[in-house]
Amino acid sequence: METDKQTPFYQQHLALGARILPFAGYLMPIQYSGIMDEHRAVRNTVGVFDVTHMGEFVVKGPDAEAFLNRLTVNDVTALDIGQVQYSAMCYPDGGIVDDLLVYRFKDHYMMVVNASNIDKDYAWAKENLLKGVELRNISEKTALLAIQGPDSFAVLQKLTELALHNIPFYHFVEGELAGFPMLISRTGYTGERGFELYHDPAHSVRLWDALFTAGRDYDIQAVGLGARDTLRLEMKYCLYGNDIDQTTNPLEAGLSWITKLNSGDFIGRDVLLKIKENGPERRLIAFEMKDKGIPRHGYRIFAGDSEVGVVTSGTQSPSLNIGIGLGYVRSEFSRLGAELLIDVRSKKLKAELVKPPFVEARTV
Amino acid sequence: MNVPENLKYTNDHEWALVEEDVATVGITEYAAGELGDVVYVELPEVGATVAKGDSIGTIEAVKTVADIYSPLSGEIIEVNGALNDNSELINKDPFGEGWIVKIKLSDSSELSELLSHEDYKKLV
C-alpha cells in the first residue's frame, strides 16, 4: 500500500500540535486548537487552510474550450480570461463524477478537483479527451493555501503590491505575494471573503511563515479540515462523497444554477434534460434542528411516520449553536418550512426545512 | 497526557473515583481530546439501575458521537446537571468539573477489574 504523503506544511502542522489523519492519500491536519475555535476565527478574523491535497489539471490546446464544455455541465464559453467557474462533471446517466473549479488563462485552462477523486477524474478526462488537447496532472507540483475571513484582505495586502480589492469574487491574477510567484484566486469554501494561493511547494514554508507574521495582529489561525467542513456546511456548499456522488445528479443536488442545459452538449445532458422536464424525484434540502441533537451522515429522515429521505451531511453549527444538516428527501416533502423528523439514534427529533445558506455568505 | 493516580480506568476511556461505595464517573482527558469539542451530553435518569458495560448516556461532539459506558454496576444517584448548559466542561476539566454521574455500587468486587493509572497510561 502506498504510504500517505506529507504536504510541504507538515512540519508546521506538527509544530502547532495539529491532530493529523490520513485523508485522500495525504496526512492532513483535522484540527489544531479545536473545531469551534477555528471556525469562529474564520468567521470573525482570518484563518489559513492547507488544502494542498486538492488536484490540479492543466488543459491546453486549440480545442481545450470545446473539450471542457463537453466534459463539464457549466458553460465554459462564458468564462473571461482571469475568471473562475464552479462546475461539475457528469457520467452519461447524469451521476456526478466530481464537482470542480475551472480557471481560464490566456492560453490554457486549469481544473481544480477534489483530492479523493484525482485519479478517477484524470482517467475520466483522459477517456473523453479531444484530439490535440493536452491534459496534464500538476497536483504533485502544486501547493495550495486558503486564507479566509473578514481580515484576509488586510493580511494579504501587507504581502503584495497587487491591489487585491481589484480582484472580483471568482477571479484570479498571477503575481507576486510574499516575494514568490503565485496564482492568487478570489475563491474559497467558507462563505467568507478570502483567497486561495496556488504556488510552488518549494516556497510553501516561507509563504506560511510570512502569512503568520503578517497576520499576527489579526489573530491569524491555522484551520483544519474539521472546521473546513462546518464552515462549508453552514453555506450548504456540497461535499463530494457526502452530498453528491455518482448516484446523485446536479439537478436534485440544487446545482441547476451551474448546469447549463441550453449552452451546447455535454456528457449527461440528455438524461438531465429529461429529469428537468419531469422534475427531480428527490431534492437536497437544508434543515435546522428544532430539538436538541446533531444530525449526521446516514441518519434517516421522516415526515410523520413515513421515511422520506436520508441525511447526507450534518453538524452542530458553531455559528448558530444548533444542529444543521443537508439531506435528500422525496420532492413532495421538500417544501420550505416543512417539519421533518430526524432519526437520531432511534429518537425522532424535530427539524425544519429552511432556505440555505444557514449563515449569510459574506464573500463579496 | 494527564492520567491522575487516584483514579481507576476502563478500556473505553472512562474514569472512576471510588469513595466508599460511591463512584464518580467521567471520561478521560484522552477521550475528550479524541472527541473534540463536546456539544451535548445525554445523561441517564437518577435512580436508574445500571450494569457494568451498559451505555448510560451519549456524548455528542461536533464531528462524532460516543456512548458513555458504565464502568461499574449500581444505581445512578446523581448526574452532573452542569453539563446540560456547559457541555464543554468535559473538554476543559474532564477529571473535575466535567464529571458525568455518581453511581452507588452494588458489586464492589468489580473494582478489581478496572485498570490502574499505570495500566491505563500504557493504553493511551
Side-chain angles (χ1 to χ4, degrees), chain A residues 17-230:
Chain A
R19 172 184 303 276
I20 289 174
L21 286 175
F23 178 81
Y26 281 92
L27 292 169
M28 297 302 290
I30 303 304
Q31 65 169 61
Y32 304 83
S33 57
I35 292 175
M36 293 283 190
D37 193 41
E38 293 162 34
H39 182 108
R40 289 184 190 122
V42 174
R43 290 271 179 261
N44 297 332
T45 54
V46 54
V48 178
F49 306 69
D50 174 8
V51 279
T52 299
H53 60 314
M54 298 295 285
E56 295 86 10
F57 305 156
V58 167
V59 182
K60 226 173 185 166
D63 287 328
E65 182 188 80
F67 160 69
L68 284 171
N69 218 26
R70 197 179 152 266
L71 189 70
T72 64
V73 302
N74 210 330
D75 180 10
V76 177
T77 66
L79 270 177
D80 294 327
I81 293 167
Q83 197 177 3
V84 190
Q85 184 178 69
Y86 179 57
S87 191
M89 298 186 276
C90 286
Y91 292 110
D93 70 357
I96 301 172
V97 181
D98 202 359
D99 62 338
L100 73 158
L101 296 179
V102 178
Y103 286 71
R104 184 178 171 198
F105 293 76
K106 214 175 272 166
D107 64 344
H108 69 280
Y109 291 85
M110 180 171 77
M111 303 163 65
V112 179
V113 303
N114 281 299
S116 42
N117 291 338
I118 294 174
D119 294 344
K120 178 186 83 175
D121 290 355
Y122 186 75
W124 179 249
K126 196 103 202 165
E127 197 180 319
N128 291 287
L129 206 58
L130 294 181
K131 222 184 208 160
V133 177
E134 182 195 337
L135 174 74
R136 205 150 39 92
N137 180 358
I138 58 162
S139 305
E140 301 270 333
K141 285 179 253 165
T142 310
L144 180 57
L145 283 183
I147 293 82
Q148 303 276 304
D151 291 330
S152 58
F153 273 73
V155 172
L156 292 174
Q157 197 61 74
K158 288 165 91 172
L159 298 171
T160 183
E161 313 251 298
L162 297 160
L164 295 176
H165 282 276
N166 291 341
I167 310 173
F169 191 50
Y170 266 68
H171 285 72
F172 68 93
V173 298
E174 292 172 280
E176 227 170 66
L177 190 140
F180 304 112
M182 61 189 68
L183 193 167
I184 303 166
S185 171
R186 180 82 200 281
T187 47
Y189 196 45
T190 62
E192 296 298 331
R193 287 146 58 89
F195 289 89
E196 294 179 296
L197 307 176
Y198 298 83
H199 61 278
D200 182 337
H203 305 140
S204 286
V205 170
R206 278 174 294 169
L207 173 61
W208 178 278
D209 289 342
L211 285 168
F212 278 84
T213 304
R216 199 171 293 154
D217 296 340
Y218 297 92
D219 262 338
I220 199 164
Q221 275 201 49
V223 184
L225 295 184
R228 183 169 159 85
D229 188 52
T230 54

Side-chain angles (χ1 to χ4, degrees), chain A residues 19 31 34-37 226 229-230 292-294 296 299 314-316 321-323 344-345 347, chain B residues 30 33-42 58-65 67 83-85:
Chain A
R19 172 184 303 276
Q31 65 169 61
I35 292 175
M36 293 283 190
D37 193 41
D229 188 52
T230 54
K292 212 164 144 178
I294 304 179
R296 300 188 192 277
Y299 286 5
T315 189
Q316 173 81 355
N321 283 315
I322 53 166
V344 178
R345 284 165 291 107
K347 272 189 206 158
Chain B
Y30 172 81
E34 289 292 305
L35 286 172
D37 294 324
V38 173
V39 179
Y40 300 128
V41 185
E42 205 176 305
T58 49
I59 299 180
E60 292 261 16
V62 177
K63 292 308 286 180
T64 187
V65 56
D67 279 301
L83 296 177
N84 287 326
D85 295 321

